[in-house]
Coordinates of all heavy atoms in Angstrom, one line a residue:
M144 N 98.1 48.8 130.2 CA 98.3 47.9 128.9 C 99.8 47.8 128.7 O 100.5 48.7 128.8 CB 97.5 48.5 127.7 CG 96.0 48.4 127.8 SD 95.4 46.8 127.6 CE 95.8 46.5 125.9
V145 N 100.2 46.6 128.3 CA 101.5 46.3 127.8 C 101.4 45.7 126.3 O 100.3 45.1 126.1 CB 102.4 45.7 128.7 CG1 102.5 46.4 130.1 CG2 101.8 44.3 128.9
V146 N 102.5 45.6 125.7 CA 102.4 44.9 124.4 C 102.2 43.4 124.6 O 102.5 42.8 125.6 CB 103.7 45.0 123.6 CG1 104.9 44.4 124.3 CG2 103.6 44.7 122.2
K147 N 101.4 42.8 123.7 CA 101.1 41.3 123.8 C 102.0 40.6 122.8 O 102.1 41.1 121.7 CB 99.6 41.1 123.5 CG 98.7 41.5 124.7 CD 97.4 40.8 124.6 CE 96.6 41.2 123.4 NZ 95.2 40.9 123.5
I148 N 102.5 39.4 123.2 CA 103.4 38.6 122.4 C 102.7 37.3 122.0 O 102.4 36.6 123.0 CB 104.7 38.4 123.1 CG1 105.4 39.8 123.4 CG2 105.6 37.5 122.3 CD1 106.4 39.7 124.4
D149 N 102.6 37.1 120.8 CA 102.2 35.8 120.3 C 103.4 34.8 120.3 O 104.1 34.8 119.3 CB 101.5 35.8 119.0 CG 101.0 34.5 118.5 OD1 101.3 33.4 119.1 OD2 100.1 34.4 117.5
E150 N 103.4 34.0 121.3 CA 104.6 33.2 121.5 C 104.7 32.1 120.4 O 105.8 31.5 120.2 CB 104.7 32.6 122.9 CG 104.9 33.7 124.0 CD 105.2 33.2 125.4 OE1 105.1 32.1 125.6 OE2 105.4 34.0 126.3
E151 N 103.6 31.7 119.9 CA 103.6 30.7 118.8 C 104.1 31.2 117.5 O 104.7 30.5 116.8 CB 102.1 30.2 118.6 CG 101.4 29.5 119.8 CD 102.1 28.2 120.1 OE1 102.1 27.4 119.3 OE2 102.3 28.0 121.3
T152 N 104.0 32.5 117.3 CA 104.4 33.2 116.1 C 105.8 33.7 116.1 O 106.5 33.7 115.2 CB 103.4 34.3 115.8 OG1 102.1 33.7 115.7 CG2 103.7 34.9 114.4
C153 N 106.4 34.3 117.3 CA 107.6 34.8 117.4 C 108.8 33.9 117.0 O 108.7 32.7 117.4 CB 107.8 35.2 118.9 SG 109.4 35.8 119.3
I154 N 109.7 34.5 116.2 CA 110.8 33.7 115.7 C 112.1 34.0 116.4 O 113.1 33.7 116.0 CB 111.0 33.7 114.2 CG1 111.1 35.2 113.8 CG2 109.8 33.1 113.4 CD1 111.4 35.4 112.3
A155 N 112.0 34.9 117.5 CA 113.2 35.3 118.3 C 114.2 36.0 117.5 O 115.4 35.8 117.7 CB 113.6 34.0 119.0
C156 N 113.8 36.9 116.6 CA 114.7 37.6 115.8 C 115.5 38.6 116.5 O 116.6 39.1 116.1 CB 114.0 38.1 114.5 SG 112.9 39.5 114.9
G157 N 114.9 39.2 117.5 CA 115.5 40.3 118.3 C 115.2 41.7 117.8 O 115.7 42.7 118.4
L158 N 114.6 41.9 116.7 CA 114.3 43.2 116.1 C 113.5 44.2 117.1 O 113.8 45.3 117.3 CB 113.6 43.2 114.8 CG 114.4 42.6 113.6 CD1 113.6 42.5 112.3 CD2 115.7 43.4 113.3
C159 N 112.6 43.6 117.9 CA 111.8 44.3 118.8 C 112.6 44.9 119.9 O 112.4 45.9 120.3 CB 110.6 43.6 119.2 SG 111.0 41.9 120.0
V160 N 113.6 44.0 120.3 CA 114.5 44.4 121.4 C 115.2 45.7 121.0 O 115.4 46.6 121.9 CB 115.5 43.3 121.8 CG1 116.4 43.6 122.8 CG2 114.6 42.0 122.2
E161 N 115.8 45.7 119.8 CA 116.5 46.8 119.3 C 115.6 48.0 119.1 O 116.1 49.2 119.4 CB 117.2 46.5 118.0 CG 118.2 45.4 118.1 CD 118.8 45.1 116.7 OE1 118.7 45.9 115.8 OE2 119.2 43.9 116.6
A162 N 114.4 47.8 118.7 CA 113.4 49.0 118.4 C 112.9 49.7 119.8 O 112.6 50.8 119.6 CB 112.3 48.5 117.6
C163 N 112.9 48.9 120.8 CA 112.2 49.5 122.0 C 113.1 50.6 122.7 O 114.2 50.3 123.1 CB 111.9 48.4 123.0 SG 111.1 49.0 124.5
P164 N 112.5 51.8 122.7 CA 113.2 53.0 123.2 C 113.3 52.9 124.8 O 114.1 53.7 125.4 CB 112.4 54.2 122.8 CG 111.0 53.7 122.6 CD 111.2 52.2 122.2
V165 N 112.5 52.1 125.5 CA 112.6 52.0 127.0 C 113.1 50.6 127.4 O 113.0 50.5 128.6 CB 111.2 52.4 127.6 CG1 110.8 53.8 127.2 CG2 110.2 51.4 127.1
D166 N 113.7 49.9 126.6 CA 114.4 48.6 126.8 C 113.4 47.7 127.7 O 113.9 47.2 128.6 CB 115.6 49.0 127.8 CG 116.7 47.9 127.8 OD1 116.6 47.1 126.8 OD2 117.5 47.8 128.7
A167 N 112.2 47.5 127.1 CA 111.4 46.8 127.9 C 111.2 45.3 127.3 O 110.5 44.5 127.9 CB 109.9 47.4 127.8
L168 N 111.9 45.0 126.3 CA 111.9 43.7 125.6 C 113.2 43.0 125.7 O 114.2 43.5 125.7 CB 111.4 43.8 124.2 CG 110.0 44.2 124.0 CD1 109.9 44.8 122.6 CD2 109.1 43.0 124.1
A169 N 113.1 41.7 125.9 CA 114.2 40.8 125.8 C 113.8 39.6 125.2 O 112.7 39.1 125.0 CB 114.7 40.4 127.2
V170 N 114.8 38.8 124.5 CA 114.5 37.6 123.8 C 115.1 36.5 124.6 O 116.3 36.5 124.9 CB 115.0 37.6 122.3 CG1 114.9 36.2 121.7 CG2 114.2 38.5 121.5
E171 N 114.4 35.5 125.0 CA 114.9 34.3 125.7 C 114.6 33.3 124.7 O 115.2 33.3 123.6 CB 114.2 34.1 127.0 CG 114.6 35.2 128.0 CD 113.6 35.3 129.1 OE1 113.0 34.3 129.6 OE2 113.5 36.4 129.9
D172 N 113.7 32.4 124.9 CA 113.3 31.4 123.8 C 112.4 32.1 122.8 O 112.5 31.9 121.6 CB 112.7 30.1 124.4 CG 111.6 30.4 125.4 OD1 111.6 31.5 126.0 OD2 110.6 29.6 125.5
V173 N 111.6 33.0 123.3 CA 110.9 34.0 122.5 C 110.9 35.3 123.2 O 111.5 35.5 124.3 CB 109.3 33.5 122.3 CG1 109.2 32.3 121.6 CG2 108.7 33.4 123.7
A174 N 110.3 36.4 122.5 CA 110.3 37.8 123.1 C 109.5 37.8 124.4 O 108.5 37.1 124.6 CB 109.8 38.7 122.1
K175 N 110.0 38.5 125.3 CA 109.4 38.7 126.7 C 109.4 40.2 126.9 O 110.4 40.9 126.6 CB 110.1 38.1 127.8 CG 110.4 36.5 127.6 CD 109.2 35.7 127.9 CE 109.5 34.2 127.8 NZ 108.4 33.4 127.7
V176 N 108.3 40.6 127.5 CA 108.1 42.1 127.8 C 108.2 42.3 129.4 O 107.7 41.5 130.2 CB 106.8 42.6 127.3 CG1 105.6 42.0 128.0 CG2 106.8 44.1 127.6
D177 N 109.0 43.4 129.8 CA 109.0 43.7 131.2 C 107.9 44.7 131.3 O 107.9 45.8 131.0 CB 110.3 44.4 131.4 CG 110.4 44.8 133.0 OD1 109.4 45.0 133.6 OD2 111.6 45.0 133.4
E178 N 106.8 44.1 132.0 CA 105.5 44.9 132.1 C 105.7 46.2 132.9 O 105.0 47.2 132.8 CB 104.5 44.1 132.8 CG 104.2 42.9 131.8 CD 102.9 42.1 132.3 OE1 102.2 42.6 133.3 OE2 102.6 41.2 131.7
S179 N 106.8 46.3 133.8 CA 107.0 47.5 134.6 C 107.7 48.6 133.7 O 107.7 49.7 134.1 CB 108.0 47.1 135.7 OG 109.2 46.8 135.3
K180 N 108.2 48.2 132.5 CA 108.9 49.3 131.7 C 108.0 49.7 130.4 O 108.2 50.7 129.9 CB 110.2 48.7 131.2 CG 111.2 48.6 132.3 CD 112.6 48.1 131.7 CE 113.7 47.9 132.7 NZ 114.9 47.4 132.0
C181 N 107.2 48.8 130.0 CA 106.5 48.9 128.7 C 105.6 50.2 128.8 O 104.9 50.2 129.8 CB 105.7 47.7 128.3 SG 104.7 47.9 126.7
E182 N 105.6 51.0 127.8 CA 104.8 52.3 127.9 C 103.8 52.3 126.6 O 103.4 53.5 126.2 CB 105.8 53.5 127.9 CG 106.5 53.6 129.1 CD 107.5 54.8 129.1 OE1 107.2 55.8 128.4 OE2 108.3 54.8 130.0
D183 N 103.6 51.2 126.0 CA 102.6 51.1 124.9 C 103.1 52.1 123.7 O 102.3 52.7 123.1 CB 101.3 51.5 125.3 CG 100.5 50.5 126.1 OD1 101.0 49.4 126.0 OD2 99.5 50.9 126.6
I184 N 104.4 52.2 123.5 CA 104.9 53.0 122.4 C 104.5 52.5 121.0 O 104.2 53.2 120.1 CB 106.4 53.3 122.6 CG1 106.5 54.1 123.9 CG2 107.0 54.1 121.4 CD1 107.9 54.0 124.4
G185 N 104.7 51.2 120.8 CA 104.4 50.5 119.6 C 105.6 50.3 118.6 O 105.3 49.8 117.4
D186 N 106.8 50.8 118.9 CA 107.8 50.8 117.9 C 108.1 49.2 117.6 O 108.5 48.8 116.5 CB 109.1 51.4 118.4 CG 109.1 52.9 118.3 OD1 107.9 53.4 117.9 OD2 110.0 53.6 118.7
C187 N 108.0 48.4 118.6 CA 108.2 46.9 118.4 C 107.2 46.3 117.6 O 107.5 45.5 116.6 CB 108.2 46.2 119.8 SG 106.7 46.4 120.7
V188 N 106.0 46.7 117.6 CA 104.9 46.2 116.7 C 105.2 46.5 115.3 O 105.0 45.6 114.4 CB 103.5 46.8 117.1 CG1 102.4 46.3 116.2 CG2 103.1 46.5 118.6
A189 N 105.7 47.7 115.1 CA 106.0 48.2 113.7 C 107.1 47.4 113.1 O 107.2 47.1 111.8 CB 106.4 49.6 113.7
V190 N 108.1 46.9 113.8 CA 109.2 46.2 113.2 C 109.2 44.8 113.2 O 109.9 44.1 112.5 CB 110.6 46.6 114.0 CG1 110.8 48.2 113.8 CG2 110.6 46.1 115.4
C191 N 108.3 44.1 113.9 CA 108.2 42.7 113.9 C 107.8 42.2 112.6 O 106.8 42.5 112.0 CB 107.2 42.2 114.9 SG 107.0 40.3 115.0
P192 N 108.7 41.3 112.1 CA 108.5 40.8 110.7 C 107.4 39.7 110.5 O 107.0 39.4 109.4 CB 109.9 40.2 110.3 CG 110.4 39.7 111.7 CD 109.9 40.8 112.6
V193 N 106.9 39.2 111.6 CA 105.9 38.1 111.6 C 104.6 38.5 112.3 O 103.7 37.6 112.6 CB 106.5 36.8 112.2 CG1 107.7 36.3 111.2 CG2 107.0 37.0 113.6
D194 N 104.4 39.8 112.6 CA 103.2 40.3 113.3 C 102.9 39.5 114.6 O 101.8 39.1 114.9 CB 102.1 40.2 112.4 CG 102.1 41.3 111.3 OD1 102.8 42.3 111.6 OD2 101.5 41.1 110.2
A195 N 104.0 39.3 115.3 CA 103.7 38.6 116.7 C 103.3 39.5 117.8 O 103.0 39.0 118.9 CB 105.0 37.8 116.9
L196 N 103.6 40.8 117.6 CA 103.3 41.8 118.6 C 102.0 42.5 118.4 O 101.7 42.9 117.2 CB 104.4 42.7 118.8 CG 105.8 42.0 119.1 CD1 107.0 43.1 118.9 CD2 105.7 41.5 120.5
S197 N 101.2 42.9 119.5 CA 100.1 43.8 119.3 C 99.8 44.6 120.6 O 100.3 44.2 121.6 CB 98.8 43.0 119.1 OG 98.7 42.0 120.0
L198 N 99.2 45.7 120.4 CA 98.9 46.5 121.6 C 97.4 46.5 121.9 O 96.6 46.2 121.0 CB 99.3 48.0 121.3 CG 100.8 48.3 121.3 CD1 101.1 49.7 121.1 CD2 101.4 48.0 122.8
Ligands
LIG316 S1 110.4 41.2 116.3 FE1 108.7 39.7 116.5 S2 109.6 37.7 115.8 FE2 111.3 39.2 116.4 S3 111.8 38.7 118.6 FE3 110.2 40.4 118.5 S4 108.2 39.5 118.7 FE4 109.7 37.9 118.1

């Protein structure tokens, strides 16, 4: 499992990128996850201001 991103909801704020301890997220037009790095930690889910992330 990796984090799921609701691309319609994401506002590309970048908070999840800063929160991720394994550097699995990047923001292009919206947040993107590197599935080879994501470890289901959930720090990104906790910081997203618009609830665009879920595990
Ligand atoms: S914290 Fe939420 S709104 Fe901000 S870039 Fe990440 S997924 Fe998008």
Side-chain angles (χ1 to χ4, degrees):
M144 290 286 291
V145 299
V146 71
K147 285 200 294 196
I148 299 165
D149 180 344
E150 297 190 351
E151 300 289 308
T152 303
C153 176
I154 57 172
C156 70
L158 291 177
C159 57
V160 177
E161 293 175 27
C163 182
V165 296
D166 202 23
L168 288 159
V170 172
E171 293 163 24
D172 48 332
V173 294
K175 304 284 183 192
V176 63
D177 182 337
E178 298 188 3
S179 70
K180 291 184 180 175
C181 181
E182 296 179 16
D183 284 346
I184 295 163
D186 288 1
C187 55
V188 176
V190 299
C191 180
V193 294
D194 286 337
L196 300 169
S197 57
L198 287 174

